[in-house]
Amino acid sequence: MEFIGKINQISSYLIIFIVSLLTVLRLYIGNFFPYWYLLTNQLDELLLINNAHLGQYFANWNIHSLSKTISYSLFLKFVNVIGLPYGFVLSLVWILGGILIVYAVYNYLTKNKIILALIYLFIIFLPCGMDLFISGRVYRNAAIAPFLILFLSSLFIFMNKVISEDSSNRSLLIWGILLGIIFTFNYYLKEDGVGILILFLASIFLVLILNLGPVVKNKSFNVKKYYKIIVISIIPIFIFVGCTFAYSEVNHEKFGVYDINTRTEGELGEFFHNLLLIDDKNNSDIYWVTYSTIDKAWNASPTLQSRPDLFNNWVHSGWAQGNLKENKLNGDTNAWSLRDALAASGLYADEKSTSDFFHKVNAELNDAFKNGDLNKSDKIFISKYAVGRSVGEIFDLKDLFFLLLKTSILYKDLGRDIQKCNVDIMLPSLTFGENNQVKDVESFLHMNIFTKSEYSQDNFEWNFAKASIHFYQLISIIIVIISVISFILTGINLILNRFKSKNLSLVFLFEILLLGTFAVQLFGLCWFSSFLGYCEYTRAYSSNCQAIFATFEVLAIAGIISIIEKKGIHNILKN
């Protein structure tokens, strides 16, 4: 027995050594990764980087200040304040996500050291954290997956603590506040946080239902204790609501409107939605708003007619090479060109005046819909900021859906060299080190930005990242099959045992929520981004799906291992 004890001790030290070594390697790779951004892209990378200069952001606002949410800019500001390189801090977030999910598995599923080490390494080297277009680009897509894993892990921990009989009020309060803060940050990383909001609320509702077990089983039920559970369970929701209220108040004080962003929300967002609602045979799932649609809106709104300069600046903008009638703009591009047209027409004095102007316009368009001056599209809409689709057009998304499904679970087409990316504007506009703007970014984020020429050179960090992505691509199908089988076996085991185990029931039901959220997010991505096709951008947008499915895989496999440890492998399907 003493010999076996020594063997276990040696194996523990070996695992710690390997995990520590690979953690240091992950930090090194992240710190010296070939980061880049599109130099000419004023409305993506540079917008969020400029917004991170909070003093300038609030003092020198413009028409684009509220076009995107603030979380990623706050993260960049945090990087600037603590003085550590951007890539190093981003890697720390990945490592923290790995630690948190291991903490969750260790406390509620299995304490197997090898399994825990593999889970940790699986998370911190996920391909979306190694891909040059997702994590290499200094843009918010790089932060979505690691922060989402932090949220999903903290949500799972909080749910387990709420249903546990042993959790202290202090522990519940701390995790509730932490979860609320992490969720709020995730929700405002992008403008499409409704998917994780549904998961968040459904998970809170789930733990409340699971705590009603004694009622279902006709056992004694402590009403006072249940009220306490309700209060504790909604703490994260209160944190989210409170942070949102504070966010709105800051925007009202600094910009004059309560809107979180004025691209997908507020009166300007409503105006774009009304344009999408107009029935126009010239529009399609690629060209959402065409010249004829804008012309119809102008004819229906006296307020718009009072500003012919806005019409001219919009339909003759540089976005459409001076002629929108001949050069249609795909997707939501017209929403961006509208903002520039407003600025060029002198209509943007501040957010308040712009909001008041479009409040009148929207009222007139709504009246036009009601009295028949404008015909409303009969297509299906799932979002105010996305094009409507017919049933046939929805089925047409299947090819893109399955391609992005392969990217999300099998990491298809990730790890491509920058020269092989199918984006025409990328190579000519990659950052150049001698540019003063780049130097400012490097100074602000304590990092090095790679130039176009440097991508032709051998780079150990990128070569390692490509190798790790290729390894994941090789083993991904095996992990997917094991996790799906584990999920099914867990469900059968619970059914045979009539869901007696509250903890295991929570794990299984949470996995169902993860799969549902994964499908909804992937479907929403296809709906919104089909005008781009299957490309680097859509694959980058799928990083949230990759994080959700990876979390599912971890919990599904760890869940079945916990059953095996308790009942033995031959008794999984026995009562």
Side-chain angles (χ1 to χ4, degrees), residues 59 81 106 212 351 353 391-392 458:
V81 170
Y106 177 84
L212 283 173
E351 292 287 352
S353 60
V391 174
D458 288 334

Side-chain angles (χ1 to χ4, degrees), residues 33 39 138 146 366 415 560:
F33 201 72
L39 187 63
V138 185
N366 287 332
I560 199 64

Side-chain angles (χ1 to χ4, degrees), residues 172-278:
L172 287 167
L173 180 62
I174 291 173
W175 278 101
I177 294 172
L178 183 64
L179 173 60
I181 294 171
I182 294 174
F183 170 74
T184 303
F185 182 88
N186 274 271
Y187 185 81
Y188 291 120
L189 262 175
K190 290 183 68 180
E191 297 76 41
D192 58 355
V194 64
I196 62 169
L197 176 61
I198 294 172
L199 171 64
F200 180 54
L201 296 177
S203 298
I204 299 299
F205 180 73
L206 173 60
V207 295
L208 293 176
I209 294 298
L210 288 176
N211 275 292
L212 283 173
V215 176
V216 176
K217 297 174 182 177
N218 296 316
K219 295 181 179 180
S220 59
F221 182 68
N222 190 327
V223 177
K224 185 178 179 179
K225 182 180 178 181
Y226 191 70
Y227 284 150
K228 186 192 80 170
I229 290 172
I230 292 176
V231 172
I232 289 171
S233 298
I234 60 178
I235 286 175
I237 300 175
F238 280 137
I239 297 295
F240 169 64
V241 172
C243 290
T244 300
F245 177 78
Y247 192 172
S248 298
E249 285 293 327
V250 169
N251 281 354
H252 180 253
E253 180 181 345
K254 301 295 183 180
F255 303 104
V257 293
Y258 287 104
D259 306 314
I260 297 299
N261 82 86
T262 55
R263 182 167 58 91
T264 62
E265 300 177 11
E267 296 296 341
L268 199 53
E270 186 66 24
F271 172 65
F272 190 71
H273 176 59
N274 279 327
L275 293 178
L276 295 174
L277 287 175
I278 295 174

